[in-house]
Amino acid sequence: MDSTQSLEQLESEMLAAVAAAAGLDSLESLRIAALGRKGSLTERMKALGGLPADQRRAAGQALNRLKTTVEQAIDARRSSLAAADLEARLVQEAIDVTLPARPQPAGRLHPVSQTVDECVAIFGEMGFTVAEGPDIENDFRNFTALNIPPEHPARQMHDTFYLPERDDGSRLLLRTHTSPVQIRTMQSQEPPIRVIAPGRTYRCDSDATHTPMFHQVEALVVDETTHLGHLKGCIIDFCRAFFELPDLPVRFRPSHFPFTEPSMEVDIGCTRSRGELKIGGDDWLEIMGSGMVHPNVLRAGGVDPDRYQGFAFGMGIDRIAMLKYGIPDLRTFFEADLRWLHHYGFLPLAVPSLVRGL
Ligand code: DAH
């Protein structure tokens, strides 16, 4: 900036430069260039001393005015640049606090797993624990100990998968129901017994409502005083809790199973209209088999039938899952189709419980 420039020119140039400063750094450089120790205005101040005395005062006042104007312009520009800077940072660093803190897991629990968890929650609340047995069983526990002797017609009805014959001529099999877990439990623990046994079962059968592998849940209660009234109360409570219908009608119909005496099939109320099935209503749908444990079964499990008695029941897990969740075809359960699983599956973090909901 040359020293002969008029103060008006200098002022308009400086104010234009201040207005054009794009950032706080360039504004600071401008300030130093004008007002710093070697700045152009500072140099002019210093030069005042060389002026004739009669001009010094007016020139000094004019320079001071200019200095104040430039300082104010720089301060104003600094504030507006800082405000714009803050605004930009707020936009850039914005956090949407309305987003869920935990993203939903992509995986889903299979309806069979969900249904098992629900059964465990309901029976757990009643004081049952979970018992287990292997998928491969021997003939004794799957049939004979359950009061189904070798020539019994029930054996044909089970469409059993047999493993190859062993050296001693016996053949292991894939269990056709979860009832052999009754025998295992009685053999390994003393009454009082109160267990459920969910698990895989196998029968050589395949159509829209039968698959070669399916699931059952078995229940066994053995002690000195349990009677038919307990069986009925337990099953009615379970059905109403599971289907989440407190008034669901439940009916016990005389039937026959080799391992119970007396035996009953259990029906729940339903409504059938235009090919659709709804739970609840005054039509009937069979959902399980039950009865008082046969003395021969207690004996085979090493339990004294003159001292102990109890009840048992068993039902298809896949079947009650289809009924509760409106899944039309059993075969789709085992096709491992991720689209199906996403539609019918359950969020793994929503653990079923009677208190918080199934
Ligand atoms: N085991 C039977 C079946 O697979 C179901 C069953 C019926 C189990 C009556 C029981 C029972 O424990 O008491 O068809």
Side-chain angles (χ1 to χ4, degrees):
M1 232 169 276
D2 85 69
S3 53
T4 62
Q5 224 177 2
S6 77
L7 284 190
E8 289 75 34
Q9 256 182 316
L10 192 57
E11 177 174 335
S12 70
E13 273 181 24
M14 282 184 168
L15 294 182
V18 167
L24 290 170
D25 288 347
S26 49
L27 186 66
E28 178 62 7
S29 311
L30 274 177
R31 190 191 63 80
I32 291 168
L35 305 165
R37 271 199 315 129
K38 299 223 163 83
S40 50
L41 282 183
T42 315
E43 294 295 342
R44 282 193 187 229
M45 292 284 197
K46 285 182 198 159
L48 282 176
L51 284 182
D54 58 336
Q55 296 176 21
R56 208 181 291 155
R57 187 180 157 84
Q61 282 175 346
L63 260 181
N64 266 332
R65 225 177 292 116
L66 175 56
K67 191 177 161 220
T68 308
T69 307
V70 171
E71 276 171 352
Q72 284 172 347
I74 288 176
D75 284 347
R77 182 74 187 143
R78 188 183 293 117
S79 306
S80 80
L81 283 175
D85 223 45
L86 180 63
E87 187 59 33
R89 268 183 56 198
L90 285 175
V91 169
Q92 201 198 351
E93 297 173 10
I95 295 171
D96 183 352
V97 293
T98 64
L99 284 176
R102 195 162 37 184
Q104 291 219 331
R108 290 289 186 279
L109 275 189
H110 195 285
V112 169
S113 304
Q114 172 74 15
T115 303
V116 169
D117 289 350
E118 291 177 9
C119 290
V120 170
I122 296 167
F123 288 116
E125 197 78 3
M126 298 182 191
F128 286 74
T129 55
V130 174
E132 285 184 313
D135 293 10
I136 297 176
E137 264 298 358
N138 61 24
D139 186 278
F140 177 76
R141 277 185 294 255
N142 195 79
F143 291 124
T144 312
L146 290 164
N147 203 30
I148 312 174
E151 300 312 320
H152 198 285
R155 292 202 177 205
Q156 270 78 61
M157 285 160 58
H158 277 214
D159 305 306
T160 313
F161 285 112
Y162 285 96
L163 275 70
E165 206 170 281
R166 294 186 293 181
D167 288 345
D168 63 1
S170 68
R171 301 177 85 175
L172 292 175
L173 49 84
L174 295 179
R175 65 181 181 187
T176 57
H177 49 180
T178 43
S179 303
V181 184
Q182 289 189 29
I183 305 302
R184 289 181 172 271
T185 306
M186 288 188 281
Q187 285 174 337
S188 66
Q189 68 189 68
E190 293 288 313
I193 290 170
R194 197 174 286 188
V195 293
I196 58 163
R200 290 181 176 158
T201 48
Y202 304 82
R203 286 181 204 179
C204 187
D205 204 349
S206 187
D207 59 41
T209 53
H210 298 88
T211 47
M213 188 278 291
F214 58 106
H215 300 82
Q216 287 190 339
V217 57
E218 191 82 13
L220 174 69
V221 172
V222 177
D223 61 27
E224 294 184 17
T225 56
T226 287
H227 54 67
L228 197 78
H230 298 129
L231 175 154
K232 292 179 72 176
C234 177
I235 290 176
I236 292 170
D237 279 357
F238 167 78
C239 293
R240 292 179 175 169
F242 179 79
F243 290 105
E244 298 173 84
L245 293 172
D247 309 321
L248 179 67
V250 181
R251 168 175 91 168
F252 294 81
R253 189 166 32 77
S255 183
H256 174 266
F257 300 102
F259 27 90
T260 45
E261 182 58 37
S263 303
M264 289 151 292
E265 277 177 315
V266 181
D267 298 339
I268 56 171
C270 72
T271 314
R272 292 180 175 88
S273 79
R274 282 176 275 111
E276 273 200 27
L277 183 65
K278 233 184 86 219
I279 303 300
D282 45 24
D283 210 349
W284 296 104
L285 177 72
E286 187 231 307
I287 63 155
M288 69 173 96
S290 70
M292 300 305 294
V293 183
H294 196 289
N296 288 350
V297 175
L298 292 170
R299 215 172 279 122
V303 172
D304 177 5
D306 293 325
R307 180 170 171 201
Y308 294 107
Q309 55 193 17
F311 66 80
F313 55 89
M315 68 191 125
I317 292 175
D318 322 83
R319 188 169 146 71
I320 61 171
M322 288 169 77
L323 291 170
K324 180 168 178 179
Y325 295 113
I327 307 172
D329 190 333
L330 175 64
R331 290 168 294 197
T332 57
F333 276 58
F334 309 112
E335 284 170 354
D337 184 332
L338 283 177
R339 295 163 303 178
W340 182 90
L341 193 55
H342 216 265
H343 182 75
Y344 286 111
F346 293 84
L347 286 175
L349 296 174
V351 181
S353 92
L354 283 183
V355 183
R356 272 171 293 141
L358 289 182

